[in-house]
Amino acid sequence: MQHPNFLPELKSSIRNIPDYPKPGILFKDLTPVFSNPDLLGSIAHFLAAKYAHLGITKVVAIESRGFIIGGILAHLLQTGFIPVRKPGKLPAEVFSENYSLEYGTGSLEIHTDALDSHDRVLLHDDLLATGGTAQAAVRLIKRFGIEEIHSCFLVELDFLSGRKKLEPEIPVFSVVHF
Ligand code: AMP
């Protein structure tokens, strides 16, 4: 796929916040990206075009920064939107998976009736760091017997090798690499 022409503006709009949320972490703040209407639209349309012909039936997005592009993608791809959330946030019966991420540990949940084995899933989060979070989301999706899972991220921190936890089984695409 062609290099998108919004890439330089996207890169320069990502704000680095040192030592957030913990000392030693360089946090990639995407709020200036999401607040820019041209960038927001360009990114969503670019990703939608990439996945338009794969027969995706559900976009599964990870709380909370994944919900922003994830929701737009579900609309553009005309799929359903499925939230993966932190513990205690989803009201009905859930599956749950523990994970560790760049700056801590946690668990993620999905409603037990959110998907079925015939779904073709596009998993989305804002950023791929160590891959622990996305890997836990993949485990949740697999609880439904789903075989076709694609994944996309706005940002990938290459030095943390997160994609190694997903590939080759789960294809990974990131718009921007650092
Ligand atoms: P990981 O599980 O290590 O791949 O971490 C990915 C998750 O943590 C995503 O939901 C990100 O929003 C968040 N995250 C991890 N590291 C960073 C970072 N340096 N900047 C912004 N978000 C991050």
Side-chain angles (χ1 to χ4, degrees):
M1 185 164 235
Q2 240 189 332
H3 238 41
N5 56 13
F6 59 81
L7 211 55
E9 192 184 2
L10 172 58
K11 270 202 159 176
S12 64
S13 300
I14 296 170
R15 179 163 56 189
N16 290 317
I17 312 282
D19 300 319
Y20 179 90
K22 290 188 174 164
I25 301 293
L26 183 63
F27 191 84
K28 298 288 184 192
D29 177 21
L30 295 173
T31 58
V33 175
F34 297 143
S35 71
N36 178 325
D38 293 335
L39 264 185
L40 187 63
S42 299
I43 293 163
H45 282 281
F46 172 72
L47 285 173
K50 181 173 168 61
Y51 292 100
H53 306 293
L54 292 176
I56 302 291
T57 58
K58 295 280 177 4
V59 172
V60 174
I62 302 174
E63 179 176 355
S64 57
R65 292 181 291 270
F67 289 177
I68 298 151
I69 294 286
I72 303 171
L73 269 181
H75 171 71
L76 293 175
L77 292 170
Q78 295 181 281
T79 70
F81 175 87
I82 305 298
V84 164
R85 299 205 63 183
K86 311 272 165 59
K89 299 285 189 184
L90 288 170
E93 191 186 340
V94 294
F95 294 131
S96 188
E97 290 282 347
N98 298 321
Y99 67 102
S100 60
L101 76 166
E102 196 190 2
Y103 46 72
T105 59
S107 58
L108 289 176
E109 296 182 344
I110 193 169
H111 274 147
T112 56
D113 62 357
L115 299 166
D116 72 53
S117 60
H118 302 299
D119 275 315
R120 295 156 77 98
V121 166
L122 176 58
L123 173 67
H124 172 72
D125 199 1
D126 65 328
L127 183 143
L128 180 66
T130 66
T133 307
Q135 192 182 36
V138 166
R139 288 200 300 270
L140 287 173
I141 294 163
K142 286 192 168 176
R143 301 275 280 266
F144 298 87
I146 291 169
E147 285 172 9
E148 183 151 355
I149 308 172
H150 298 263
S151 68
C152 70
F153 305 86
L154 249 53
V155 180
E156 180 169 346
L157 304 182
D158 292 343
F159 60 97
L160 292 172
S161 306
R163 69 167 57 220
K164 285 196 188 143
K165 291 204 173 83
L166 305 172
E167 285 180 337
E169 193 191 356
I170 315 289
V172 176
F173 176 77
S174 304
V175 182
V176 172
H177 295 258
F178 289 100

